[in-house]
Amino acid sequence: MPPPDDDHTGSRIREQRRLARLTQRELADRIPYSLSLLNQVECGARPATPGFVAAVAHALRVDASRLAGHPAPTSLLPDRLLALVGPIREALDRYDLGPDPDLAAVRPAQELIAEADALCRQVRSTRLRAAAKALPALIVESTQTVWTAPSTAMWKALASAYRTAHDVALKLDHPDLSRVALDRMGWAASRASDPCIEAVQRYKRATLWRCATSLPLIASGQVLLAGETSREALAVAGQLHLGATTVAAKNGDAAAVREHLAAARELAERVGGEAGDVHWLSFGQTNVALHELGASIAMNHFDEALCHARALKLPDSTLTSRRARYLVDRALVEMEAGSAKTSLKFLAQARQVAPEQTRHLPGTRATVRGLVHKSRRAPESLGGMARWVGL
């Protein structure tokens, strides 16, 4: 895998050259610059001038912006992506405006509650576009209902819809919108007076980005659940420990990782079985094992991660989103172990299982870059995968 600082114009030229299945000599023969200069640029010893970049881009038949390091294109064209997230953003903005006198008929509360749960399920099945298209109407109608006929069940449904908006925005690479959706989820959850939903919201906030408030957020979620002994509360408390595991791993705190994993395992035993029905968290021993794998990867303990990945056997009931994440993690650790063909096989499986999610997972791009970095001439299958993720 390329080191973190190996991200300059020369390294991107090397990637694109290998994806084109050219040697340095073959590329040098196609540009009006020497082999020596090309070698120095790829190594980062010499800067790439605009003329050099333009010549290489022409020879490799790629856009010069790709070599210059501009952000990779998303999986959707900008106008199509805007068509999905724009209406969600507008719906989120209506939360404090009160009832809309111009809004036409609103569906019955029970229908809205059922759809909120269905959309949450759709996201776990990685049907992101379908969920994104249905979300704005659900949010608008649910907002109208909580203002005109408030009930605990409707506040919970609205909080669930906001959570789904967060998940969709995050998976479509709009972290700013996902943050807004989480704020709205907290607003609705507090009005539902449901400590479990409030704790789930704090878990989501804590794991969105690594920051100084991540662990305090998780701790505050545990406080909300203090004294609660229901299966729901135990599952949410266990998920909070898994969130703390993720944060500790990003901080390189191996002792804290072990502590929180042990606590999560103990709670999973008390819950019994896989609690996939509890807020769609999929909490259970399988999820604990997946977080253990993820923690090893985050701490760059790849030998340990490889053992975890190869020992993991996902049950048939594993949600598609979890399965895709495992396949990408497995591809990453296989790549780190030098098993390029096996790594590419797992990437292909992840793409088949959940294409929309897989394309946006950071591990996918990191694995593809690593495979390109390790190969002298990228096989066509790797070239196709690289084009798919925007490399």
Side-chain angles (χ1 to χ4, degrees):
M1 185 173 180
D5 59 349
D6 188 15
D7 185 22
H8 50 79
T9 301
S11 70
R12 289 185 285 273
I13 288 174
R14 181 176 61 237
E15 286 177 354
Q16 294 302 318
R17 172 179 62 76
R18 288 174 171 170
L19 289 172
R21 309 187 73 184
L22 297 175
T23 64
Q24 281 189 337
R25 167 59 68 187
E26 289 168 336
L27 176 56
D29 288 343
R30 300 185 183 191
I31 60 176
Y33 295 91
S34 68
L35 172 62
S36 175
L37 178 60
L38 174 60
N39 180 57
Q40 292 179 68
V41 168
E42 287 194 359
C43 293
R46 293 278 295 275
T49 64
F52 185 90
V53 170
V56 170
H58 179 74
L60 294 177
R61 299 181 180 178
V62 299
D63 194 284
S65 64
R66 181 168 294 179
L67 302 180
H70 294 172
T74 63
S75 61
L76 297 173
L77 295 174
D79 57 339
R80 293 184 182 180
L81 190 61
L82 180 61
L84 284 178
V85 302
I88 296 175
R89 191 182 299 276
E90 292 179 9
L92 293 175
D93 281 343
R94 300 173 65 98
Y95 80 108
D96 61 348
L97 298 182
D100 183 354
D102 298 323
L103 189 62
V106 174
R107 286 170 287 174
Q110 287 304 314
E111 189 174 332
L112 295 174
I113 292 168
E115 185 176 9
D117 190 60
L119 292 190
C120 200
R121 188 185 307 116
Q122 277 192 334
V123 172
R124 270 77 203 155
S125 300
T126 68
R127 296 174 59 193
L128 301 181
R129 297 188 203 189
K133 289 177 181 178
L135 259 176
L138 173 64
I139 293 173
V140 169
E141 292 182 63
S142 298
T143 303
Q144 181 81 348
T145 301
V146 298
W147 282 118
T148 57
S151 68
T152 298
M154 272 309 308
W155 281 113
K156 288 182 179 181
L158 182 56
S160 176
Y162 286 144
R163 172 193 173 177
T164 298
H166 155 74
D167 290 337
V168 168
L170 193 61
K171 292 178 186 296
L172 291 179
D173 203 24
H174 275 252
D176 61 325
L177 184 59
S178 71
R179 174 68 76 179
V180 173
L182 275 186
D183 287 343
R184 302 292 184 269
M185 180 185 175
W187 173 78
S190 65
R191 283 155 179 79
S193 299
D194 187 317
C196 285
I197 294 179
E198 290 188 72
V200 170
Q201 190 263 358
R202 297 188 190 193
Y203 159 76
K204 292 283 187 178
R205 285 172 60 192
T207 55
L208 182 57
W209 287 307
R210 179 178 62 180
C211 58
T213 58
S214 292
L215 290 177
L217 277 168
I218 289 172
S220 69
Q222 297 286 15
V223 170
L224 286 170
L225 301 175
E228 300 284 342
T229 58
S230 68
R231 181 171 181 267
E232 176 191 17
L234 293 176
V236 175
Q239 194 67 30
L240 284 166
H241 278 295
L242 293 183
T245 298
T246 299
V247 175
K250 291 178 179 178
N251 291 333
D253 190 342
V257 166
R258 290 191 295 271
E259 175 186 343
H260 287 291
L261 282 173
R265 285 195 190 93
E266 190 271 333
L267 284 166
E269 289 179 3
R270 293 175 63 187
V271 168
E274 303 296 318
D277 56 325
V278 178
H279 296 288
W280 297 102
L281 293 172
S282 298
F283 180 71
Q285 296 293 0
T286 299
N287 204 6
V288 173
L290 288 170
H291 276 76
E292 185 174 26
L293 168 60
S296 296
I297 292 173
M299 293 187 293
N300 296 324
H301 297 168
F302 291 109
D303 289 341
E304 181 180 294
L306 185 63
C307 292
H308 292 317
R310 290 180 174 176
L312 247 173
K313 303 298 180 186
L314 299 183
D316 293 339
S317 59
T318 302
L319 291 173
T320 303
S321 56
R322 300 283 183 184
R323 188 176 299 277
R325 179 60 181 267
Y326 162 74
L327 291 169
V328 170
D329 284 349
R330 179 72 183 270
L332 178 60
V333 297
E334 293 287 355
M335 181 271 293
E336 289 287 352
S339 303
K341 289 184 178 179
T342 303
S343 174
L344 197 54
K345 179 190 74 172
F346 281 108
L347 272 186
Q349 288 181 17
R351 179 179 179 178
Q352 183 178 18
V353 166
E356 292 177 88
Q357 176 182 342
T358 298
R359 195 194 308 243
H360 288 284
L361 284 174
T364 302
R365 190 174 177 86
T367 302
V368 173
R369 283 201 70 199
L371 290 171
V372 173
H373 180 78
K374 290 173 179 289
S375 64
R376 293 184 63 83
R377 292 195 187 198
E380 182 54 37
S381 56
L382 178 56
M385 189 69 71
R387 289 189 292 273
W388 182 65
V389 300
L391 269 181

